Amino acid sequence: MEIQKIEQQFLELNKKMMNYNEAISVMYWDLRTGAPKNGAEQRSNVISQLSAEVFAMSTSSEMNDYLTKLENVIGTGVLSDVTEKSVKECRKDYNLNVKIPPEEYREFVKLTALSESAWEEAKAEANFEKFQPFIEKIVEAKKKFIEYWGYNDKKYDTLLDLYEPGMTTKKLDEVFKKVREELVPLVAAIAKTGKSLQGDFLFKPLEIQRQKRICEDILTQLGYNFDSGRLDESVHPFQITLNPGDVRVTTKYIEDNFMSALFGTIHECGHALYEQNISTKLIGTPLCGGSSMGIHESQSLFFENIVGRSKEFWTNQFAVLKDNAGDYLENVTFEEFYESVNHSEPSLIRIEADELTYPLHIMVRYEIEKELFDGSLEVKDLPRVWNQKMEEYLGITPSNDAEGVLQDVHWSGGDFGYFPSYALGAMYSAQFKNTLVKEMPSYEELLEQGQIEPIVNWLTKNIHQHGRLKTPSEILVDVTGEELNVTHFINYLTDKYTSLYKL
Amino acid sequence: MEIQKIEQQFLELNKKMMNYNEAISVMYWDLRTGAPKNGAEQRSNVISQLSAEVFAMSTSSEMNDYLTKLENVIGTGVLSDVTEKSVKECRKDYNLNVKIPPEEYREFVKLTALSESAWEEAKAEANFEKFQPFIEKIVEAKKKFIEYWGYNDKKYDTLLDLYEPGMTTKKLDEVFKKVREELVPLVAAIAKTGKSLQGDFLFKPLEIQRQKRICEDILTQLGYNFDSGRLDESVHPFQITLNPGDVRVTTKYIEDNFMSALFGTIHECGHALYEQNISTKLIGTPLCGGSSMGIHESQSLFFENIVGRSKEFWTNQFAVLKDNAGDYLENVTFEEFYESVNHSEPSLIRIEADELTYPLHIMVRYEIEKELFDGSLEVKDLPRVWNQKMEEYLGITPSNDAEGVLQDVHWSGGDFGYFPSYALGAMYSAQFKNTLVKEMPSYEELLEQGQIEPIVNWLTKNIHQHGRLKTPSEILVDVTGEELNVTHFINYLTDKYTSLYKL
């Protein structure tokens, strides 16, 4: 058969897989945004059924056949760039998946669906024991998967590589050490001032209906397209892409913590802008997504922190917010607001942590995951070790597991190796900003005028549109001219917090 | 292979099909309850992909093989009742589906998904022309399907039979004639009194948030289980079953027409109670649904009209409603409320029509559908003919197509032959009520005390639990001792409206 015919069939198979994945994503979104509990178990049957079908397609002899034939002509100019890179993605998936027996994979997917419901209940009751049997099974399954996949130095590296290609425990240990060496003295210096920038208004109640409207407005202001998405409520905020014309975000509203919903929304908006701006030529291919979890997170953190907590952004937006928030910001000055949303202090909940202490939350999880997978830590000891590490890194101890080890959804989905991406994202985002400001000298002025569009366009041109056509490292080098350089991150934080706390 | 093994494989295949159907239903629900418009076209690809897979399974040689082997032993006591009736259902489907080329079916499903979005837009703009090309294609496709399926006397009978097995144009013409002969003089007699029972409060604004809460309360009061369902908003109210633990309802809130949302909700609640109470032994089989559209509608209309518009029900609920509805019912007496919700007057919108004039709305649609399929009417003439018939049967003419021919979602989904079920449902419901009151002499007293549970239990025992294990006619005869007898319906309406209007 001629190669163009094979290319076409390969792309058709990919489209079919993407269609199944979209159905699965709709069901996940539904389960997390208010599906009734009595239907959840049967729903997990449906998800596991369809996931098994996708799994079967990705590991089919048909797929292997296409890949083998297309691999023969890679680099000869016969195939488009999109096809060549799709082939590489599919081969990676094929190799990962073909080693896992289908029935085991199917069971695993079902387990994670049930596990998420269990986690929701366990968290609501602050009862780790309810979650423990699920997480034990998930860790066991993941270990078995790693055995199937193979590993070099450390089992955990295989998981890291899934989310951030090329990342290893060795590299992360180094990077985290360097960041820790700089951040710990900075955090200490702030503590020494005895200053709190936290305004009383932060925990003033603001009715949910108003919070909702403001979050919708801010999404629009940042360039989120509501004709290609919607905003809902869930236990843990998330962004999910059903297709490029349907990129959804959720947030969580707490009456007396509006900033949590607001910055949660801005964070997910960053993810969503990435997904809404991926080139339409990638639709239906495995390249229609973020380059890596770290690069994805760089976009959410860029909007949450670098834009969303900047003086410049609020120069324009503060008056609007004040108008829309009833008496919530009564008697609050611009300066108080800016300082309050940048207040830094060790806290218990990662997603509510400030950008300075945030990396320390990641390190707690990173150390725990490393130890779970090298066998030096058992699941039953998670709550104890979590609390220990929190004390060690942040100097505080959760009073219960809901605000401790049960706070994140990730482990219930089997997403180990994912957390480091959050810290990498923060580092990438500072590096991108450093280049953006050089290339767009009017950056601060634009923000002050509420003109976000040129900034989103820059990100789209340099990052978003490419989807998975480029690796994280290619993006970094193409955009900033260098590989990951944590100096930018450290400088950004040092400048910002030195000025804020007048150190 | 031994027959038990085949039975098991047959049931497994059914489970798989039900799983796919659940995924499709989640996506339909999603599309109708706020999915962003830019994702709709790609979503329709997903729905058509999965629908094509279900279609392929239902028409597979594997399915035919199971059916043939199992049919050989039907009636010999080897198979369970559930399996025997599942075999019959699947054979019926097989015969219907195998005659349609898969590609044509796939295109049809895609067409209906796009068509629904087009209908929503056309209705919003009261612009029939936007919808016309879609409905033309749908009618053409359906005619082609009927050719594939075959038909006896009239093409349209084949469609009627899909929703109400055994129903024909001949029978319906007779039944509708008889009902019309009795209702027209009754409607005329009411008009002659010159009385209007309509209280001013009916169109007083009531904030959506309150409407929502009251609708939730009334669902609970009627026995709807929120752990197995949820209430959402959509352009047209509907009930959808994802699985028996997830039976959803929607309604439409209009600020100055609360009764529309309230009775819409009660109507869908009737459907939902049916689905929530189907025996769990039918899960995963094709019997896990209503016996027919007419029987289904008998349950929604039983709750909407026979319970929901009865003096007895509001004896208990009126005070509760008054408390929850702010000043909406200020100065409204129980008697005024009861009369207002039973006010009868020809009106434009079917779902807002009173129970007396409702069957006339059905007759408009029935006549149009008949003529579309016998070729005596073209799609482009629909708006004109619709308006003519409305004038002829109800004495009123819509001022635009949004309140005329575009008001219902059904045709956009290709559901021709469905509307008569609504009228049949009303007739069945009166017949069921006649028996219920005989068997449960305390019926009125229970309603007055707000004790709905024994009534739902009676319906569950006699109707709900059986799902599709019984045909409509079997249910009628088993429960009421006779086939459809429209006298009960005519007597019910005559008694009620004679008393209301003191004729």
Side-chain angles (χ1 to χ4, degrees):
Chain A
M1 204 186 299
E2 49 175 322
I3 202 75
Q4 277 76 12
K5 182 93 186 155
I6 292 168
E7 180 180 13
Q8 196 195 325
Q9 288 175 338
F10 167 73
L11 294 173
E12 279 303 315
L13 180 58
N14 269 294
K15 257 187 206 155
K16 186 173 175 183
M17 288 164 60
M18 295 304 127
N19 282 344
Y20 272 67
N21 279 335
E22 180 165 338
I24 293 164
S25 296
V26 176
M27 289 187 282
Y28 265 121
W29 172 83
D30 184 67
L31 276 177
R32 293 188 194 172
T33 53
K37 66 175 191 176
N38 291 345
E41 187 163 350
Q42 163 55 18
R43 183 69 39 82
S44 78
N45 290 334
V46 181
I47 291 174
S48 77
Q49 173 106 56
L50 294 189
S51 302
E53 305 283 343
V54 177
F55 187 85
M57 288 183 249
S58 75
T59 57
S60 60
S61 55
E62 188 189 356
M63 174 64 89
N64 192 29
D65 194 44
Y66 296 149
L67 292 176
T68 310
K69 284 175 179 151
L70 294 171
E71 278 160 351
N72 280 334
V73 294
I74 274 185
T76 64
V78 173
L79 304 175
S80 72
D81 191 33
V82 171
T83 301
E84 287 201 353
K85 284 178 172 148
S86 295
V87 167
K88 285 175 188 166
E89 271 306 307
C90 287
R91 174 57 79 193
K92 202 173 147 188
D93 258 19
Y94 180 85
N95 287 341
L96 274 174
N97 291 340
V98 83
K99 295 179 178 167
I100 300 175
E103 191 44 43
E104 268 182 57
Y105 181 71
R106 195 186 152 112
E107 281 306 309
F108 178 73
V109 172
K110 198 167 165 177
L111 172 64
T112 57
L114 289 173
S115 184
E116 270 198 36
S117 301
W119 166 74
E120 279 195 21
E121 267 190 60
K123 186 180 171 186
E125 299 169 20
N127 179 358
F128 181 76
E129 282 179 15
K130 262 204 165 159
F131 186 46
Q132 187 183 324
F134 291 92
I135 191 76
E136 277 170 350
K137 280 183 206 156
I138 286 179
V139 171
E140 274 327 296
K142 277 274 169 176
K143 282 185 179 169
K144 229 170 143 189
F145 286 5
I146 297 171
E147 295 286 347
Y148 289 133
W149 291 328
Y151 58 97
N152 293 324
D153 186 24
K154 305 240 179 217
K155 280 189 188 171
Y156 184 55
D157 286 354
T158 301
L159 299 180
L160 285 175
D161 188 77
L162 290 177
Y163 302 102
E164 206 62 22
M167 195 48 62
T168 61
T169 318
K170 195 156 168 277
K171 282 189 200 169
L172 273 185
D173 282 345
E174 274 170 32
V175 168
F176 282 162
K177 186 163 170 271
K178 193 164 174 190
V179 172
R180 203 155 49 214
E181 280 172 0
E182 304 287 339
L183 292 197
V184 169
L186 186 55
V187 170
I190 289 174
K192 217 176 144 193
T193 66
K195 254 190 269 180
S196 171
L197 300 183
Q198 187 169 265
D200 289 342
F201 75 90
L202 286 175
F203 305 102
K204 215 168 135 178
L206 177 59
E207 52 168 323
I208 306 291
Q209 221 35 46
R210 269 184 198 272
Q211 294 195 24
K212 219 173 255 185
R213 214 166 316 123
I214 294 168
C215 286
E216 283 164 8
D217 287 349
I218 212 105
L219 280 167
T220 303
Q221 167 67 14
L222 292 173
Y224 178 82
N225 181 357
F226 271 97
D227 283 339
S228 299
R230 49 181 283 171
L231 171 66
D232 292 273
E233 224 177 315
S234 61
V235 173
H236 185 102
F238 66 92
Q239 178 271 319
I240 192 167
T241 301
L242 307 171
N243 66 54
D246 191 349
V247 176
R248 303 187 182 184
V249 289
T250 71
T251 195
K252 181 185 178 180
Y253 302 104
I254 304 164
E255 201 172 55
D256 54 6
N257 190 354
F258 170 47
M259 290 300 116
S260 163
L262 179 66
F263 286 97
T265 302
I266 298 176
H267 179 93
E268 301 309 330
C269 178
H271 284 302
L273 287 172
Y274 195 170
E275 297 279 333
Q276 287 189 334
N277 293 323
I278 290 174
S279 165
T280 52
K281 75 175 177 184
L282 299 180
I283 292 178
T285 76
L287 309 175
C288 195
S291 172
S292 73
M293 293 301 149
I295 297 290
H296 227 304
E297 199 64 16
S298 77
Q299 298 310 292
S300 54
L301 292 176
F302 181 85
F303 282 93
E304 180 186 351
N305 292 331
I306 294 180
V307 169
R309 294 185 205 272
S310 70
K311 205 168 232 170
E312 294 77 19
F313 178 70
W314 291 106
T315 301
N316 177 271
Q317 282 292 302
F318 182 66
V320 179
L321 181 62
K322 211 163 177 166
D323 273 358
N324 294 333
D327 59 5
Y328 177 75
L329 289 176
E330 216 176 28
N331 305 323
V332 177
T333 65
F334 172 77
E335 198 62 34
E336 282 165 348
F337 178 78
Y338 169 67
E339 288 183 353
S340 289
V341 301
N342 284 294
H343 164 78
S344 176
E345 188 185 1
S347 64
L348 293 170
I349 305 294
R350 175 182 61 83
I351 59 162
E352 287 164 14
D354 57 79
E355 65 180 321
L356 184 60
T357 56
Y358 190 94
L360 300 169
H361 286 262
I362 296 305
M363 291 176 207
V364 169
R365 289 153 180 79
Y366 169 68
E367 297 293 333
I368 284 178
E369 291 189 348
K370 240 185 7 183
E371 291 176 16
L372 270 178
F373 282 88
D374 73 16
S376 60
L377 177 63
E378 283 181 67
V379 170
K380 70 170 169 47
D381 295 324
L382 274 185
R384 187 180 50 78
V385 175
W386 178 285
N387 292 354
Q388 255 171 16
K389 300 253 186 224
M390 283 298 289
E391 191 57 45
E392 198 179 328
Y393 292 131
L394 290 139
I396 48 175
T397 302
S399 65
N400 66 58
D401 292 339
E403 57 182 30
V405 68
L406 287 173
Q407 69 182 268
D408 296 307
V409 69
H410 305 61
W411 291 343
S412 76
D415 296 331
F416 293 95
Y418 189 146
F419 282 116
S421 310
Y422 292 123
L424 288 167
M427 297 168 199
Y428 295 157
S429 71
Q431 191 166 333
F432 289 138
K433 192 224 167 178
N434 184 64
T435 303
L436 170 57
V437 172
K438 277 189 211 154
E439 293 186 5
M440 195 184 284
S442 60
Y443 168 79
E444 294 190 348
E445 206 183 311
L446 288 168
L447 271 188
E448 281 169 3
Q449 293 164 353
Q451 290 186 44
I452 314 290
E453 209 182 332
I455 297 166
V456 174
N457 288 346
W458 187 89
L459 293 167
T460 298
K461 179 176 139 268
N462 285 290
I463 303 164
H464 301 172
Q465 63 165 333
H466 305 298
R468 213 164 288 149
L469 270 174
K470 293 186 179 190
T471 64
S473 153
E474 282 168 347
I475 291 176
L476 276 178
V477 173
D478 287 355
V479 179
T480 71
E482 57 182 346
E483 295 280 358
L484 174 60
N485 177 354
V486 286
T487 318
H488 302 298
F489 182 54
I490 291 164
N491 288 346
Y492 161 74
L493 288 177
T494 307
D495 290 353
K496 179 169 178 176
Y497 285 90
T498 302
S499 156
L500 265 162
Y501 282 88
K502 306 184 174 56
L503 298 176
Chain B
M1 205 185 300
E2 50 175 321
I3 201 77
Q4 278 76 14
K5 183 92 186 154
I6 292 167
E7 180 180 13
Q8 198 195 323
Q9 289 176 337
F10 166 73
L11 294 173
E12 280 301 316
L13 180 57
N14 269 293
K15 255 186 209 156
K16 186 173 173 182
M17 287 163 61
M18 296 302 127
N19 283 344
Y20 272 66
N21 280 334
E22 181 165 339
I24 293 164
S25 296
V26 175
M27 290 187 281
Y28 265 122
W29 172 84
D30 184 66
L31 275 178
R32 292 188 195 172
T33 54
K37 67 175 190 176
N38 291 345
E41 186 163 351
Q42 163 54 17
R43 182 69 39 81
S44 79
N45 291 333
V46 181
I47 290 173
S48 77
Q49 173 107 54
L50 294 189
S51 301
E53 305 282 342
V54 176
F55 187 85
M57 289 184 249
S58 75
T59 57
S60 61
S61 55
E62 188 190 355
M63 174 63 90
N64 192 29
D65 194 45
Y66 295 149
L67 292 176
T68 308
K69 284 174 180 152
L70 294 171
E71 279 161 350
N72 279 335
V73 296
I74 275 186
T76 64
V78 173
L79 304 175
S80 71
D81 190 31
V82 171
T83 300
E84 289 201 352
K85 284 178 172 148
S86 295
V87 167
K88 285 175 190 167
E89 271 306 309
C90 288
R91 174 57 80 194
K92 202 172 147 189
D93 258 19
Y94 180 86
N95 287 341
L96 274 175
N97 291 340
V98 83
K99 295 178 178 168
I100 299 175
E103 192 44 42
E104 269 181 57
Y105 181 70
R106 193 187 153 113
E107 280 306 308
F108 179 72
V109 172
K110 198 167 164 179
L111 172 64
T112 57
L114 288 174
S115 182
E116 270 197 38
S117 301
W119 167 75
E120 279 195 22
E121 267 190 60
K123 187 179 170 186
E125 301 168 19
N127 179 358
F128 181 76
E129 283 179 15
K130 260 204 166 158
F131 186 45
Q132 187 182 324
F134 291 92
I135 191 76
E136 277 170 350
K137 281 184 204 155
I138 286 179
V139 171
E140 275 326 296
K142 277 273 168 177
K143 282 186 180 169
K144 226 169 145 190
F145 286 5
I146 297 170
E147 296 286 348
Y148 289 134
W149 290 327
Y151 59 97
N152 294 324
D153 186 23
K154 306 238 178 218
K155 279 188 187 171
Y156 185 54
D157 285 356
T158 301
L159 299 180
L160 286 175
D161 188 77
L162 290 177
Y163 302 100
E164 206 62 21
M167 194 48 62
T168 61
T169 318
K170 194 157 169 279
K171 282 190 201 168
L172 272 185
D173 281 345
E174 273 170 35
V175 168
F176 282 161
K177 184 163 171 274
K178 193 166 174 189
V179 173
R180 204 157 44 213
E181 281 171 0
E182 304 287 339
L183 292 197
V184 170
L186 186 55
V187 171
I190 289 173
K192 216 176 144 193
T193 66
K195 252 190 271 182
S196 169
L197 300 183
Q198 188 169 266
D200 290 340
F201 74 91
L202 284 175
F203 305 103
K204 214 169 134 178
L206 177 58
E207 52 169 322
I208 306 291
Q209 222 32 46
R210 269 184 198 273
Q211 293 195 25
K212 218 174 254 185
R213 213 167 313 121
I214 293 168
C215 286
E216 282 164 8
D217 287 350
I218 212 104
L219 280 167
T220 304
Q221 166 67 13
L222 292 172
Y224 178 82
N225 180 358
F226 272 97
D227 283 339
S228 299
R230 50 181 283 173
L231 172 64
D232 293 273
E233 225 177 314
S234 61
V235 173
H236 185 101
F238 66 92
Q239 178 271 318
I240 192 166
T241 301
L242 307 172
N243 66 55
D246 191 350
V247 176
R248 304 186 182 185
V249 289
T250 71
T251 196
K252 180 186 177 178
Y253 302 104
I254 303 164
E255 201 171 57
D256 53 7
N257 190 354
F258 170 46
M259 290 300 116
S260 163
L262 180 67
F263 285 97
T265 302
I266 297 176
H267 179 94
E268 301 308 330
C269 179
H271 285 302
L273 288 171
Y274 194 171
E275 297 279 333
Q276 286 189 335
N277 293 323
I278 290 174
S279 166
T280 52
K281 75 175 177 184
L282 300 180
I283 292 178
T285 76
L287 309 175
C288 196
S291 171
S292 72
M293 292 300 149
I295 298 290
H296 227 304
E297 199 63 17
S298 77
Q299 298 309 292
S300 54
L301 292 176
F302 182 85
F303 282 93
E304 178 185 350
N305 292 332
I306 294 181
V307 168
R309 296 185 202 269
S310 70
K311 206 168 231 169
E312 296 76 18
F313 178 70
W314 291 105
T315 301
N316 177 272
Q317 281 293 302
F318 182 66
V320 179
L321 180 63
K322 212 163 175 166
D323 274 358
N324 294 333
D327 59 5
Y328 176 74
L329 290 176
E330 216 177 28
N331 305 323
V332 177
T333 66
F334 172 77
E335 198 61 34
E336 281 165 349
F337 178 78
Y338 169 68
E339 288 183 353
S340 289
V341 301
N342 284 293
H343 164 78
S344 177
E345 189 186 357
S347 63
L348 293 169
I349 306 294
R350 176 182 61 85
I351 59 161
E352 288 164 15
D354 56 80
E355 64 180 322
L356 185 59
T357 56
Y358 190 94
L360 302 169
H361 287 263
I362 296 305
M363 290 175 208
V364 170
R365 289 153 180 80
Y366 169 68
E367 298 292 333
I368 284 177
E369 292 190 347
K370 241 185 6 183
E371 292 174 16
L372 271 178
F373 282 88
D374 70 18
S376 59
L377 176 64
E378 282 181 67
V379 170
K380 71 169 168 51
D381 296 323
L382 274 185
R384 186 180 50 79
V385 176
W386 179 284
N387 293 355
Q388 255 170 16
K389 301 253 185 224
M390 283 297 289
E391 191 58 46
E392 194 180 333
Y393 291 131
L394 290 138
I396 46 175
T397 303
S399 65
N400 65 59
D401 293 339
E403 58 183 30
V405 68
L406 287 172
Q407 69 183 265
D408 296 306
V409 70
H410 304 62
W411 292 343
S412 76
D415 297 332
F416 294 94
Y418 188 148
F419 282 116
S421 309
Y422 292 122
L424 288 167
M427 298 168 197
Y428 295 158
S429 71
Q431 191 166 332
F432 290 139
K433 193 225 168 176
N434 184 63
T435 303
L436 170 56
V437 172
K438 277 188 207 151
E439 291 186 6
M440 193 183 286
S442 61
Y443 167 80
E444 293 188 348
E445 207 182 310
L446 288 169
L447 271 189
E448 281 168 4
Q449 293 164 353
Q451 291 185 45
I452 313 291
E453 209 182 331
I455 297 166
V456 175
N457 289 345
W458 186 89
L459 294 167
T460 297
K461 180 175 141 270
N462 286 290
I463 303 165
H464 301 174
Q465 64 164 332
H466 304 297
R468 212 164 289 148
L469 271 173
K470 293 186 179 190
T471 64
S473 154
E474 282 169 349
I475 290 177
L476 276 179
V477 173
D478 287 356
V479 179
T480 71
E482 56 183 347
E483 294 280 358
L484 174 59
N485 177 353
V486 288
T487 319
H488 301 297
F489 182 55
I490 292 164
N491 288 346
Y492 160 75
L493 288 177
T494 307
D495 290 354
K496 180 169 176 178
Y497 285 89
T498 302
S499 159
L500 264 162
Y501 283 87
K502 306 186 173 56
L503 299 176

